[in-house]
């Protein structure tokens, strides 16, 4: 989890690891839920969730 202060904006990045048995849709739903929860925090302007399978960067889900 990293928090970056960009002027008045706050960017949160988080790396999550999902089980290899998870489908891309399941991983996307997990990332979306995490993003939605973090966006509820005060002063968070954007969130980037990196999804890893078995420690590799197979998919990056990003939203702002």
């Amino acid at each position: 989890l990293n928090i970056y202060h960009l002027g008045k904006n706050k960017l949160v990045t988080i790396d999550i690891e999902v089980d290899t048995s998870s489908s891309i849709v399941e991983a996307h739903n997990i990332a979306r839920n995490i993003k939605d929860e973090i966006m509820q925090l005060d002063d968070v302007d954007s969130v980037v969730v990196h999804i890893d399978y078995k420690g590799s960067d197979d998919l990056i889900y990003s939203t702002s």
Side-chain angles (χ1 to χ4, degrees):
L1 175 70
N2 295 296
I3 300 172
Y4 300 95
H5 298 273
L6 309 169
K8 293 181 180 181
N9 296 323
K10 193 178 293 179
L11 165 67
V12 175
T13 66
I14 186 168
D15 296 328
I16 63 169
E17 188 169 316
V18 295
D19 190 275
T20 55
S21 65
S22 298
S23 70
I24 290 175
V25 171
E26 290 170 325
H28 174 85
N29 288 336
I30 292 167
R32 172 60 72 178
N33 289 338
I34 290 170
K35 177 252 174 198
D36 290 345
E37 290 294 322
I38 294 172
M39 288 298 295
Q40 295 294 318
L41 301 173
D42 289 338
D43 301 328
V44 174
D45 300 291
S46 59
V47 176
V48 176
V49 179
H50 298 268
I51 303 169
D52 295 333
Y53 288 93
K54 286 184 153 179
S56 67
D57 293 329
D58 292 340
L59 174 67
I60 297 177
Y61 173 75
S62 175
T63 185
S64 51

